[in-house]
Amino acid sequence: MSKVKYIFVTGGVTSSLGKGIISASLGKLLQARGYSVTIQKFDPYINIDPGTLNPYEHGECYVTDDGAETDLDLGHYERFLGIPTSQDNNVTTGRIYYNVIQKEREGEFLGKTVQVVPHITDEIKNNIYKLGETGKFDIVITELGGCVGDIESLPFIEAVRQARLELGPTNCISIHLTLVPYLKTAGELKTKPTQHSVKELLEAGIQPDILVCRSEYSLSTEIRKKLALFCNVPFNSVIESLDAETIYDVPILMRKEKLDERVLAKFKQSYKREPKIDAWKEFLGRLKNPTSQVRIGLVGKYVELKDAYKSIAEAFVHAGAVNECNVMLEWIHAEEVEEGNTKKLFGELDAILVAPGFGERGIEGKIATVKYARENKVPFFGICLGMQVAVIEFARNVLTLKKANSTEMDPKTKHPVIDIMEDQKNIKEMGGTMRLGAYDCNIKKGTKAYNVYGHAKISERHRHRYEFNNEYLEQYQNAGMIASGTNPDTGLVEIMEIQDHPWFVGSQYHPELKSTVVNPHPLFVKFVKAAINYRREKESN
Ligand code: GLN
């Protein structure tokens, strides 16, 4: 393609319609036709990034290779497209204003009054075009967070209006995702909310090219005609999006509705080829036809909100499919666990994962969880804080350093087996200051970790301030807990594992962030396998 094509995805009527999944599914189909695609998300809130947001507010904070703390939709983009995103793929109102104010301080506006139009909208457009200008993509999909009509969304909608003019109709299209609700008492689907939402967009100067309609029931020809007529879109550009059994069905459903064909027709592109989605379909086949089943406990402190562990849950879906195994996650609140109830809570489980997290709440419950898994030889996986608590538990109960702790929980602990990183000690600002993003790790041969990855050099993503304290390493290794992965430049411990245990691994990094449909993460794949084996053995005894 000579020129980059832009697709804008807006949402109307209500939030939570799944713009992220629709964007990722469309991206997947276009990619499967041979185009190189990236997806970007604009978030209309004032925070510079979601890094400082409580998981209860915003769900998981997704970290990219370049160390950006981003919206969890970027996780969907990566899981669907299988290519990394970066800071440029997630921009908030806060970041836009921050950039503009910085430019103002540097005198870049030459004495002019700085205004929402044109300065803020120009900055938004710069961030749209920036991805196109990398030369890496044929198509850039930009998802606008929030709903049309929100006060916060206005500058973004205005920027899209301007971009449409600048780019011209064959280089740029607008997709509006809306809700067509079913009214039980009337016994019919209602188009009015969609009509209103499109009107709102029209008032802002944008005529959507395609409507994607979320609905519980199939849209009849009559309803489609009505939507087309009142919303001023061609009949074949009214796309239905029914509730799906899994988010991974959505690309297939969008293919059936010909969303990708409508988009390419608007761009006046002849189809490069039919979409190649065999690997995707094979994944779905395995996902939906499991031959075994395991129950895995996920112990964390934000379990009320499943979105707080989105990437972990999805990594289990990918790993389950590879193993043709139905992975049932049991969400367990860390604060509920005590040494006295571990048998009751975990006795029926086939494996246990202790989740990442921050702060003291629930920490003793997590330590009791690790003790149970270690002593009863239940497959165990600890991620980030989960690895750190595994280290603390081992210190207290095997090395008999009774007061061992992380300085995050007890700054004055006698045995700081987990300690703040040297270069973190003087940091005062909260946002974007952790050890973030991709770092290399070397894996020792002959370890569980080596067996998992099958090679020695890996790179994984991080988000933490504390780390294993190497002053204790010898004691640990002598007692059977070894550092099987370390950073080649700094010597920081990346993976700890217990040798005399069927599967006990803790990673300082977040492997869940790199698991995709086509490339499930080997740590999750092997962990699920260990759970299957554990269950089989239990059943045969
Ligand atoms: N709170 C721990 C740290 O900052 C672990 C962070 C995490 O689990 N992501 O090191």
Side-chain angles (χ1 to χ4, degrees):
M1 228 186 275
S2 58
K3 228 175 156 188
V4 182
K5 307 286 180 187
Y6 293 86
I7 300 171
F8 298 104
V9 181
T10 54
V13 183
T14 164
S15 58
S16 303
L17 290 181
K19 280 195 298 277
I21 300 298
I22 292 292
S23 303
S25 299
L26 173 60
K28 181 78 231 169
L29 290 174
L30 295 170
Q31 185 192 54
R33 283 182 180 274
Y35 297 101
S36 88
V37 183
T38 190
I39 313 174
Q40 172 185 50
K41 168 122 192 235
F42 283 152
D43 277 310
Y45 50 74
I46 315 282
N47 306 61
I48 303 275
D49 61 42
T52 53
L53 286 172
N54 184 326
Y56 287 126
E57 285 278 316
H58 191 266
E60 164 185 285
C61 173
Y62 187 80
V63 180
T64 55
D65 276 334
D66 65 346
E69 298 181 285
T70 72
D71 184 75
L72 57 75
D73 270 340
L74 272 75
H76 291 310
Y77 306 162
E78 288 205 14
R79 287 187 280 274
F80 277 57
L81 298 188
I83 54 164
T85 53
S86 71
Q87 179 64 74
D88 294 341
N89 294 75
N90 191 198
V91 182
T92 67
T93 293
R95 188 174 293 279
I96 296 287
Y97 272 79
Y98 191 75
N99 293 347
V100 169
I101 290 168
Q102 247 174 355
K103 285 181 189 165
E104 186 271 336
R105 292 289 83 180
E106 286 160 12
E108 220 178 275
F109 299 114
L110 305 172
K112 284 249 180 288
T113 308
V114 182
Q115 297 180 295
V116 173
V117 184
H119 302 99
I120 293 296
T121 46
D122 278 353
E123 183 63 26
I124 295 172
K125 282 187 291 173
N126 289 342
N127 278 276
I128 296 169
Y129 299 147
K130 203 165 159 189
L131 278 170
E133 284 158 6
T134 58
K136 290 196 284 194
F137 307 108
D138 304 317
I139 299 171
V140 177
I141 301 177
T142 299
E143 176 194 342
L144 298 195
C147 273
V148 170
D150 293 348
I151 293 177
E152 291 96 335
S153 303
L154 279 175
F156 291 100
I157 305 274
E158 168 60 14
V160 169
R161 186 193 67 80
Q162 294 175 18
R164 282 167 63 90
L165 270 180
E166 287 168 16
L167 293 163
T170 58
N171 294 317
C172 166
I173 63 167
S174 156
I175 298 177
H176 191 53
L177 179 63
T178 122
L179 179 70
V180 179
Y182 178 77
L183 267 202
K184 228 195 329 197
T185 44
E188 55 185 12
L189 291 170
K190 290 298 189 188
T191 64
K192 197 69 90 186
T194 298
Q195 295 180 38
H196 280 299
S197 176
V198 169
K199 232 185 208 154
E200 191 115 39
L201 254 187
L202 280 169
E203 260 172 46
I206 298 175
Q207 165 66 54
D209 300 294
I210 296 173
L211 289 182
V212 176
C213 306
R214 284 298 308 276
S215 171
E216 284 175 71
Y217 297 94
S218 204
L219 306 182
S220 63
T221 304
E222 203 184 321
I223 291 274
R224 287 184 197 242
K225 275 188 181 158
K226 196 168 170 189
L227 283 164
L229 179 68
F230 283 98
C231 300
N232 198 26
V233 298
F235 174 76
N236 63 7
S237 296
V238 178
I239 305 282
E240 91 179 0
S241 168
L242 298 174
D243 296 347
E245 190 186 322
T246 142
I247 54 170
Y248 300 109
D249 277 335
V250 180
I252 310 294
L253 295 174
M254 288 304 103
R255 172 82 194 101
K256 275 197 196 128
E257 282 288 295
K258 300 191 166 63
L259 175 60
D260 52 334
E261 285 179 39
R262 297 314 310 148
V263 165
L264 291 172
K266 281 267 165 208
F267 285 149
K268 306 233 179 310
Q269 291 291 311
S270 51
Y271 311 146
K272 272 196 178 173
R273 60 166 196 237
E274 286 301 305
K276 271 197 203 155
I277 38 177
D278 299 344
W280 194 275
K281 284 191 175 156
E282 211 183 298
F283 157 79
L284 279 175
R286 281 194 304 263
L287 180 67
K288 294 186 178 184
N289 299 289
T291 54
S292 63
Q293 175 165 308
V294 291
R295 287 174 61 193
I296 298 184
L298 190 152
V299 180
K301 85 176 200 193
Y302 310 107
V303 290
E304 304 89 331
L305 185 76
K306 306 278 179 290
D307 269 1
Y309 303 108
K310 193 79 205 157
S311 292
I312 293 178
E314 296 306 326
F316 275 121
V317 175
H318 311 152
V322 178
N323 285 294
E324 290 181 11
C325 174
N326 176 22
V327 177
M328 296 191 303
L329 289 183
E330 308 269 335
W331 306 80
I332 299 164
H333 208 295
E335 279 177 299
E336 275 171 28
V337 186
E338 334 172 322
E339 277 203 35
N341 66 9
T342 46
K343 177 101 201 112
K344 191 167 144 246
L345 284 174
F346 304 132
E348 300 293 308
L349 299 179
D350 306 310
I352 300 171
L353 180 141
V354 174
F358 294 84
E360 215 190 334
R361 188 164 66 90
I363 205 77
E364 293 302 323
K366 287 185 174 178
I367 292 172
T369 305
V370 175
K371 182 163 189 268
Y372 179 87
R374 183 178 56 77
E375 290 180 344
N376 294 282
K377 304 241 187 283
V378 182
F380 170 83
F381 189 11
I383 299 180
C384 207
L385 182 64
M387 172 265 198
Q388 298 175 354
V389 293
V391 164
I392 297 169
E393 192 280 328
F394 198 85
R396 290 187 188 175
N397 299 321
V398 180
L399 305 180
T400 61
L401 307 172
K402 289 290 170 218
K403 292 263 151 78
N405 213 333
S406 160
T407 49
E408 180 180 8
M409 319 307 159
D410 177 5
K412 296 206 166 71
T413 174
K414 209 169 138 205
H415 295 292
V417 290
I418 303 291
D419 199 5
I420 186 129
M421 274 180 267
E422 204 43 50
D423 53 5
Q424 288 280 335
K425 283 186 179 157
N426 295 319
I427 291 176
K428 295 271 175 312
E429 261 184 41
M430 294 292 281
T433 56
M434 282 186 248
R435 179 175 183 238
L436 290 166
Y439 285 90
D440 290 338
C441 167
N442 287 352
I443 301 182
K444 272 201 199 102
K445 284 209 171 121
T447 59
K448 287 188 175 66
Y450 193 89
N451 179 33
V452 165
Y453 282 92
H455 50 91
K457 292 208 178 303
I458 59 164
S459 165
E460 295 279 2
R461 298 182 192 168
H462 295 72
R463 184 171 188 249
H464 65 116
R465 287 186 209 283
Y466 297 81
E467 53 154 330
F468 180 82
N469 183 345
N470 274 325
E471 281 178 27
Y472 290 89
L473 187 56
E474 216 182 296
Q475 281 191 65
Y476 276 85
Q477 313 234 71
N478 291 339
M481 189 184 229
I482 62 160
S484 48
T486 47
N487 180 290
D489 307 313
T490 57
L492 290 186
V493 168
E494 296 283 6
I495 315 171
M496 289 296 274
E497 59 181 73
I498 292 180
Q499 288 172 303
D500 179 27
H501 189 290
W503 215 93
F504 189 108
V505 178
S507 69
Q508 184 57 76
Y509 54 82
H510 293 262
E512 71 275 19
L513 302 175
K514 284 179 66 166
S515 186
T516 70
V517 165
V518 176
N519 279 311
H521 198 287
L523 271 169
F524 281 88
V525 173
K526 295 285 166 61
F527 181 53
V528 169
K529 210 175 187 68
I532 297 171
N533 291 340
Y534 180 82
R535 186 176 183 120
R536 281 209 187 115
E537 255 172 56
K538 224 173 25 179
E539 280 169 354
S540 68
N541 284 335

